[in-house]
Amino acid sequence: MNFDMPNFLPAMPEMFVLGMTSLILIIDLFLNERTRVVSYLLAQATLVGAFILSLSLYSGNAELSFSDTFVLDPMAGVLKMAVYATVFMVFLYSHSYLRERGLFRGEFFVLALFGVLGMMVLISAHSFLTIYLGLELMSLALYAMVAMQRDSRTASEAAMKYFILGAMASAMLLYGMSMLYGVTGTLELTELSRAVQQTQGDRLLLVFGLVFLLVGVAFKLGAVPFHMWVPDVYHGAPTAVTLFISTAPKLAGFAMLMRLMVDGLPGLQPQWHDILVLLAVLSIGVGNVVAIAQTNIKRMLAYSGISHAGFLLLGVLSGTPEGYAAGMFYAIVYTIMGLGGFGMVILMSRAGFEAEQLEDYKGLNQRSPWFALMMLFIMFSMAGVPPFIGFWAKLAVLQAVVSANLMWLAAVAVIFSVIGAFFYLRVIKLMYFDQAREQGSLKPGADLAVVLSANAIGILALGAFPGALMALCLQAMGA
Amino acid sequence: MSFEQIIFYIFSAILVAAAVGVITVRNPVHAALFLVMCFITTSALWLLLEAEFLAITLVLVYVGAVMVLFLFVVMMLDINIAKMREGFTGYLPLGALVAGGTIAVMWYVANNDYFNLTNMPPPERLAADASNTRMLGEQLYTTYVYPFEIAAVILLLAIVAAITLTLRHRTGTRYQKIDQQVRVKRDERVRMVKMESEERK
């Protein structure tokens, strides 16, 4: 038989990450408690190396490889680099948190890097097969990370829920894929879109398949009504893991949505448009309203994440390259803000004390004016107050929605985000106008202080100059 | 009716009967054994479809490994069936609704025009010496090499995750020190004693 050797070059970052992960797995065996930091440094080096590789491979055109199961296009390049940067930050934040709780083990970094690999595969997927495998690789790593704190009952419960619901979502996704495969006879996305355009007559079966696919995607993004797992998992998992699962996988989830809907099923655009409208309205509504009732900041941020997922969908459902770019911009901005939000929870916590309750933030201004200011930046940005980056992200998706002639949808989104502003502002009120429950100034580790400050100031700086990131997203989407 | 069809119906009937058995018998061990029967008859059906490799894998992996493990677990754990059946009637309406919906969707999908015999003609018979395994192997290592490798990574991750979640270093547990066992010498174990022979009484 004749066989064309695939072009390995576009998959260099994947191969590098896999190789390094396996290396860390082996090296970690020979490390003890004192030298464990080597695993951490190697993991960070892996991310930096992958970033450099992806950057050097970045170009304006799409390149297919491995019998068209793999694609490297500008969107994949940008999203992968965003994933590396996010996980790099996650590791920086988690370092001292893990150490204080006896979770500073090589497996944490190995599992996280496997998760990163899964996200990369998912982002670069160009066939149902690779989408599914990338998703499973990512999810499996996340399930295990949630369960890593074995002696914590809430963590075990969260992992169980996450695993069972995640398996259900995967099953739904596979069911949808099998229907689409049955009708079109292909798994490859370009051929799939061609076959869908050509199908005559009864399209109901295609729509059935589409619905099942979207159930799977909505679950991974945490969109209502498939959001049940989000608050419990974010709450139950160790905060360092929450930081990880609430940020980088959203980028991969966005990529999965784009690959399936825009690359694979543009022929069903009217149908998925309607479904996404429903998901977006429900997510923005439920996310913003239910967050008000929360007293636990991790749960509050979880509901905030649900509403952000709704906003992200707004960009995609507009169906234009500008809209996709706005959605991508939103996904990246949300990751930056999510890092800051959960990073602050890590910063406030210490060994034996988790700053999970909103009350723990009372009077933060008296204890540490600087970090209260940083938290103010993050909360304002999440609420969408100018000049922070969150404002530009919301503006971009709303512009996309308006240009798609969905004024009512934009109005609903704005109303709910005004309602949602309440719970962000409540945190600020607690920090500045309430009496501190415990005295003594806040003294986080130097690395944590620097990272969080950089993160929060980054939110302000990007808000002042959003043009570059927006231009990058527009370029990635070919708009 | 051709001979093949007769075989098909016989195996299908056994399969359906065994599947009903899995969910109706009270004894979990019997249920597991019925499941083994399901797998074996399914593999017979696959043989009829010329999927020899899958048929053999099903028997080797599921019957040989998975079900044996399953039986071990069922026999070792003290599962209280009566307790598991609690709330059965409470969940029945919801379960019936989901099952009914799923059956309706499946019915629709299976009876769709896309899948009738004109749109999906039966594949041609393979030659008698066609090797299923070889064809699968050639596809796996060429066209599908990238997904195949990712599947391998998923297995590696599964091993790492399983060990991470279950391995505990307990102090004070007794375990074999194999190197010392291997290095052991006769003198350390056997003591030769010289005795006077005694007279049997």
Side-chain angles (χ1 to χ4, degrees):
Chain A
M1 68 177 295
N2 40 18
F3 165 57
D4 294 325
M5 206 59 181
N7 183 6
F8 287 101
L9 191 64
M12 268 312 273
E14 275 85 355
M15 289 189 265
F16 176 72
V17 171
L18 176 59
M20 284 298 284
T21 311
S22 310
L23 189 71
I24 296 171
L25 194 60
I26 294 169
I27 288 180
D28 189 67
L29 288 175
F30 299 98
L31 299 176
N32 56 29
E33 284 304 312
R34 266 182 311 111
T35 50
R36 184 70 15 101
V37 74
V38 173
S39 301
Y40 165 72
L41 293 175
L42 277 174
Q44 292 290 48
T46 307
L47 293 168
V48 173
F51 191 94
I52 294 168
L53 279 173
S54 280
L55 191 66
S56 62
L57 287 170
Y58 185 77
S59 72
N61 20 0
E63 206 170 340
L64 291 168
S65 185
F66 297 107
S67 323
D68 295 354
T69 53
F70 174 94
V71 64
L72 183 68
D73 54 5
M75 181 181 98
V78 173
L79 282 177
K80 276 184 201 171
M81 284 187 269
V83 166
Y84 310 139
T86 309
V87 179
F88 188 82
M89 293 285 283
V90 169
F91 285 171
L92 280 179
Y93 273 123
S94 322
H95 181 214
S96 52
Y97 180 93
L98 295 171
R99 238 179 225 289
E100 284 164 3
R101 282 157 190 79
L103 290 172
F104 194 72
R105 292 185 280 159
E107 295 91 52
F108 179 87
F109 300 105
V110 170
L111 288 175
L113 285 178
F114 272 127
V116 169
L117 184 67
M119 291 173 215
M120 295 164 73
V121 171
L122 188 52
I123 288 170
S124 268
H126 198 255
S127 119
F128 278 159
L129 211 52
T130 32
I131 288 180
Y132 177 68
L133 287 169
L135 181 72
E136 284 305 291
L137 184 54
M138 173 181 97
S139 308
L140 206 57
L142 298 183
Y143 304 145
M145 285 173 79
V146 174
M148 257 187 85
Q149 203 172 24
R150 287 182 304 199
D151 300 322
S152 153
R153 283 195 54 162
T154 51
S156 308
E157 186 191 327
M160 231 21 227
K161 279 182 186 165
Y162 193 20
F163 179 66
I164 290 171
L165 290 175
M168 282 274 290
S170 294
M172 292 281 184
L173 189 79
L174 278 181
Y175 197 24
M177 284 177 176
S178 73
M179 285 185 197
L180 290 169
Y181 177 70
V183 176
T184 60
T186 178
L187 293 171
E188 200 262 322
L189 293 182
T190 315
E191 261 183 64
L192 178 80
S193 71
R194 205 176 304 134
V196 168
Q197 308 277 18
Q198 284 166 356
T199 46
Q200 306 290 325
D202 187 13
R203 292 168 81 85
L204 191 58
L205 194 55
L206 288 173
V207 178
F208 261 132
L210 171 75
V211 170
F212 280 106
L213 282 189
L214 276 174
V215 170
V217 178
F219 176 87
K220 293 297 165 191
L221 277 175
V224 180
F226 308 103
H227 66 292
M228 300 304 185
W229 60 278
V230 179
D232 288 341
V233 172
Y234 284 20
H235 176 200
T239 312
V241 177
T242 310
L243 186 68
F244 184 64
I245 55 178
S246 66
T247 50
K250 297 279 185 236
L251 294 168
F254 170 77
M256 181 175 159
L257 182 68
M258 289 294 295
R259 293 283 178 227
L260 287 173
M261 297 302 124
V262 180
D263 289 359
L265 297 169
L268 294 176
Q269 212 252 344
Q271 284 86 358
W272 56 254
H273 171 267
D274 292 347
I275 302 173
L276 288 185
V277 169
L278 190 70
L279 289 174
V281 170
L282 284 176
S283 303
I284 296 173
V286 172
N288 277 317
V289 173
V290 181
I292 294 172
Q294 304 305 317
T295 54
N296 181 303
I297 190 159
K298 279 164 88 178
R299 292 187 87 87
M300 189 197 91
L301 288 174
Y303 280 103
S304 144
I306 291 169
S307 81
H308 286 302
F311 273 99
L312 187 157
L313 293 176
L314 285 185
V316 179
L317 65 85
S318 65
T320 58
E322 288 79 15
Y324 304 148
M328 186 170 164
F329 185 69
Y330 204 99
I332 294 173
V333 167
Y334 169 68
T335 340
I336 300 172
M337 298 189 301
L339 277 175
F342 285 107
M344 193 67 196
V345 180
I346 287 184
L347 184 127
M348 295 278 293
S349 307
R350 57 181 181 268
F353 171 71
E354 304 287 332
E356 286 185 351
Q357 298 302 319
L358 277 176
E359 295 189 343
D360 297 330
Y361 293 79
K362 272 185 179 172
L364 182 62
N365 186 39
Q366 298 155 13
R367 297 175 59 203
S368 168
W370 173 253
F371 289 114
L373 183 70
M374 294 297 116
M375 187 64 170
L376 175 107
F377 284 1
I378 296 163
M379 288 293 121
F380 268 155
S381 180
M382 281 195 178
V385 176
F388 299 98
I389 187 70
F391 166 74
W392 298 106
K394 282 206 169 64
L395 188 69
V397 288
L398 290 177
Q399 266 176 347
V401 171
V402 170
S403 65
N405 285 323
L406 289 163
M407 279 306 289
W408 69 271
L409 189 57
V412 169
V414 169
I415 290 169
F416 275 117
S417 60
V418 171
I419 295 174
F422 167 79
F423 65 86
Y424 297 118
L425 294 179
R426 182 173 58 189
V427 175
I428 293 168
K429 179 230 165 207
L430 288 174
M431 287 192 307
Y432 280 91
F433 302 110
D434 281 16
Q435 200 60 37
R437 283 209 305 180
E438 53 180 318
Q439 301 304 320
S441 64
L442 190 65
K443 284 201 182 64
D447 53 344
L448 213 52
V450 172
V451 183
L452 189 92
S453 307
N455 192 336
I457 291 170
I459 287 172
L460 181 65
L462 275 172
F465 307 101
L469 186 59
M470 193 68 217
L472 191 67
C473 292
L474 282 168
Q475 191 200 355
M477 291 297 166
Chain B
M1 206 190 276
S2 70
F3 183 60
E4 246 186 68
Q5 276 174 319
I6 296 171
I7 295 179
F8 170 80
Y9 282 116
I10 291 174
F11 277 115
S12 302
I14 301 175
L15 171 60
V16 173
V20 171
V22 173
I23 53 172
T24 49
V25 292
R26 286 189 169 267
N27 188 331
V29 177
H30 293 174
L33 289 174
F34 268 120
L35 199 55
V36 169
M37 197 165 180
C38 281
F39 286 139
I40 290 174
T41 44
T42 313
S43 83
L45 293 182
W46 269 348
L47 275 178
L48 284 177
L49 289 171
E50 300 184 334
E52 295 90 6
F53 182 77
L54 285 177
I56 292 167
T57 317
L58 189 75
V59 173
L60 284 182
V61 176
Y62 276 86
V63 179
V66 176
M67 287 315 295
V68 170
L69 209 66
F70 210 87
L71 275 175
F72 268 131
V73 174
V74 168
M75 288 177 175
M76 276 200 283
L77 295 181
D78 182 25
I79 302 169
N80 189 347
I81 309 288
K83 207 172 174 189
M84 277 169 65
R85 284 177 193 254
E86 263 176 32
F88 178 74
T89 43
Y91 290 117
L92 188 62
L94 185 68
L97 198 72
V98 173
T102 315
I103 289 171
V105 173
M106 281 181 173
W107 185 263
Y108 173 78
V109 169
N111 283 318
N112 205 278
D113 279 347
Y114 289 112
F115 305 126
N116 60 20
L117 279 177
T118 42
N119 278 332
M120 295 256 163
E124 277 178 39
R125 293 266 145 178
L126 295 172
D129 60 344
S131 164
N132 225 283
T133 318
R134 188 191 165 88
M135 285 190 282
L136 272 174
E138 279 178 353
Q139 284 296 311
L140 273 186
Y141 287 97
T142 55
T143 316
Y144 295 103
V145 66
Y146 180 64
F148 184 68
E149 289 300 323
I150 301 168
V153 177
I154 292 179
L155 287 180
L156 174 63
L157 167 64
I159 297 170
V160 174
I163 294 174
T164 309
L165 297 184
T166 51
L167 181 71
R168 281 178 196 270
H169 290 287
R170 292 206 192 93
T171 47
T173 41
R174 292 165 189 278
Y175 56 95
Q176 286 182 303
K177 292 178 181 148
I178 302 205
D179 53 337
Q180 292 183 16
Q181 282 184 338
V182 172
R183 253 186 292 140
V184 80
K185 292 198 178 68
R186 194 194 64 182
D187 307 346
E188 296 165 26
R189 290 283 187 272
V190 186
R191 189 161 52 97
M192 298 291 278
V193 186
K194 277 244 181 311
M195 289 178 76
E196 288 291 313
S197 56
E198 287 179 32
E199 199 179 324
R200 183 182 279 178
K201 284 165 193 163

